Amino acid sequence: MSDVSVRATPEDAPFPLTEVDKWVLSLTDDEYQYHDWESVKKIIDENNLSVLKRKPSDLRRYMKWTAETKAEYGSMTNYLIKHRLPQTWGSLPFKPASTVPFHDPSDYIVLINDWPYGLTANMTHIVVWSRTTIETNPDTGDMTPETRSIVTNFVKRFFVDRLGPDGDDKVLWFKNWVALQSVRALERKYNSIRALFSPYITSRAISFRCL
């Protein structure tokens, strides 16, 4: 589908758009510059997540799909619970097996991101959903030092250590601030983190999907 086949403007947005999103909608795909590994690493190191963006045509399709999905299911949360999250989790409020995020394997699921950011083709975008609360700072919407440590240890254990001695060089991860989340009702409390994989392990990253 070309970038002109779906028309969408900021006024059509079914979720809050960032200033970057609004700017992206003014572009064509040919004008768009993809995030490569080094640029994403810099964005994450600087915690400047607001500049992460989708390809223009993908953003337009995402807006259209989100509007249609909300119309059919009532909310994005209802869609995710029905089609993407484990059925054993049931409905909100979730009742995790552990109060510590990523401690019990039944409390998280690893999926390929259906709507990734506009990354170069040599990266794979993974999303990890947790039914245990990942605490954030109420003033900034960012993780607390304690939860950042917990997530860092999980990423190392689940992804990095499986990739051998140079695993640290093949995985980047981030958690969107509350203000940047498009599924607010679910992500505000039952959160997700995102992992990006370098070209060397794309096939292995996909194998992590169902655990």
Side-chain angles (χ1 to χ4, degrees), residues 115-130:
W115 296 97
Y117 289 111
L119 311 169
T120 51
N122 58 9
M123 284 187 276
T124 299
H125 191 173
I126 301 290
V127 59
V128 185
W129 285 99
S130 168

Side-chain angles (χ1 to χ4, degrees), residues 179-194:
L180 300 177
Q181 295 167 354
S182 58
V183 191
R184 296 284 183 87
L186 192 60
E187 289 189 284
R188 183 178 289 116
K189 185 173 183 182
Y190 305 100
N191 296 271
S192 63
I193 62 172
R194 316 298 172 97

